[in-house]
Short mmCIF file of all heavy atoms in Angstrom, two decimals:
data_model
loop_
_atom_site.label_atom_id
_atom_site.label_comp_id
_atom_site.label_asym_id
_atom_site.label_seq_id
_atom_site.Cartn_x
_atom_site.Cartn_y
_atom_site.Cartn_z
N ALA A 159 -1.51 105.92 24.86
CA ALA A 159 -0.54 106.71 24.03
C ALA A 159 -1.31 107.65 23.10
O ALA A 159 -0.89 108.77 22.96
CB ALA A 159 0.34 105.80 23.23
N ALA A 160 -2.38 107.17 22.48
CA ALA A 160 -3.18 108.03 21.64
C ALA A 160 -3.83 109.17 22.40
O ALA A 160 -3.86 110.33 21.93
CB ALA A 160 -4.25 107.17 20.88
N ARG A 161 -4.32 108.87 23.56
CA ARG A 161 -4.95 109.92 24.41
C ARG A 161 -3.91 110.98 24.82
O ARG A 161 -4.19 112.19 24.73
CB ARG A 161 -5.58 109.29 25.67
CG ARG A 161 -6.33 110.33 26.49
CD ARG A 161 -7.03 109.68 27.72
NE ARG A 161 -6.16 108.94 28.50
CZ ARG A 161 -6.27 107.65 28.75
NH1 ARG A 161 -7.28 106.94 28.29
NH2 ARG A 161 -5.40 106.95 29.51
N GLU A 162 -2.71 110.55 25.19
CA GLU A 162 -1.66 111.46 25.57
C GLU A 162 -1.25 112.34 24.43
O GLU A 162 -1.00 113.56 24.58
CB GLU A 162 -0.45 110.71 26.16
CG GLU A 162 -0.70 110.13 27.51
CD GLU A 162 0.42 109.28 27.97
OE1 GLU A 162 1.44 109.08 27.20
OE2 GLU A 162 0.40 108.77 29.12
N LYS A 163 -1.18 111.79 23.19
CA LYS A 163 -0.82 112.53 22.03
C LYS A 163 -1.91 113.56 21.75
O LYS A 163 -1.57 114.72 21.39
CB LYS A 163 -0.69 111.55 20.85
CG LYS A 163 -0.13 112.20 19.64
CD LYS A 163 0.10 111.23 18.51
CE LYS A 163 0.68 111.89 17.30
NZ LYS A 163 0.95 110.96 16.24
N ARG A 164 -3.17 113.22 21.90
CA ARG A 164 -4.22 114.21 21.69
C ARG A 164 -4.15 115.34 22.71
O ARG A 164 -4.36 116.49 22.37
CB ARG A 164 -5.59 113.52 21.82
CG ARG A 164 -6.11 112.95 20.54
CD ARG A 164 -7.61 112.62 20.64
NE ARG A 164 -7.94 111.94 21.85
CZ ARG A 164 -8.07 110.65 21.96
NH1 ARG A 164 -7.89 109.88 20.91
NH2 ARG A 164 -8.39 110.05 23.07
N GLU A 165 -3.84 115.04 23.96
CA GLU A 165 -3.80 116.03 24.96
C GLU A 165 -2.65 116.95 24.81
O GLU A 165 -2.72 118.17 25.10
CB GLU A 165 -3.66 115.32 26.37
CG GLU A 165 -4.95 114.67 26.83
CD GLU A 165 -4.81 113.86 28.03
OE1 GLU A 165 -3.70 113.78 28.59
OE2 GLU A 165 -5.84 113.29 28.53
N ARG A 166 -1.48 116.41 24.29
CA ARG A 166 -0.34 117.29 24.03
C ARG A 166 -0.66 118.25 22.89
O ARG A 166 -0.18 119.38 22.90
CB ARG A 166 0.88 116.41 23.62
CG ARG A 166 1.57 115.86 24.83
CD ARG A 166 2.88 115.33 24.39
NE ARG A 166 2.90 114.52 23.20
CZ ARG A 166 2.86 113.14 23.16
NH1 ARG A 166 2.93 112.52 24.30
NH2 ARG A 166 2.90 112.56 22.00
N GLY A 167 -1.50 117.80 21.95
CA GLY A 167 -1.79 118.64 20.79
C GLY A 167 -0.58 118.77 19.90
O GLY A 167 0.42 118.04 19.99
N GLY A 168 -0.66 119.81 19.09
CA GLY A 168 0.51 120.07 18.15
C GLY A 168 0.63 118.97 17.14
O GLY A 168 -0.36 118.34 16.80
N GLY A 169 1.83 118.78 16.70
CA GLY A 169 2.05 117.81 15.64
C GLY A 169 1.76 118.29 14.28
O GLY A 169 1.17 119.38 14.11
N ALA A 170 2.20 117.60 13.32
CA ALA A 170 1.96 118.02 11.93
C ALA A 170 0.52 117.80 11.57
O ALA A 170 -0.19 117.00 12.15
CB ALA A 170 2.88 117.18 11.00
N ILE A 171 0.10 118.57 10.59
CA ILE A 171 -1.30 118.47 10.15
C ILE A 171 -1.52 117.08 9.58
O ILE A 171 -2.63 116.52 9.70
CB ILE A 171 -1.61 119.54 9.09
CG1 ILE A 171 -1.61 120.92 9.77
CG2 ILE A 171 -2.93 119.30 8.41
CD1 ILE A 171 -1.81 122.03 8.86
N SER A 172 -0.51 116.46 8.99
CA SER A 172 -0.72 115.15 8.38
C SER A 172 -1.04 114.09 9.49
O SER A 172 -1.58 113.03 9.24
CB SER A 172 0.54 114.71 7.57
OG SER A 172 1.65 114.71 8.44
#
Side-chain angles (χ1 to χ4, degrees):
R161 183 176 56 240
E162 288 174 356
K163 187 175 181 180
R164 270 196 312 266
E165 289 172 357
R166 279 194 313 261
I171 291 178
S172 60

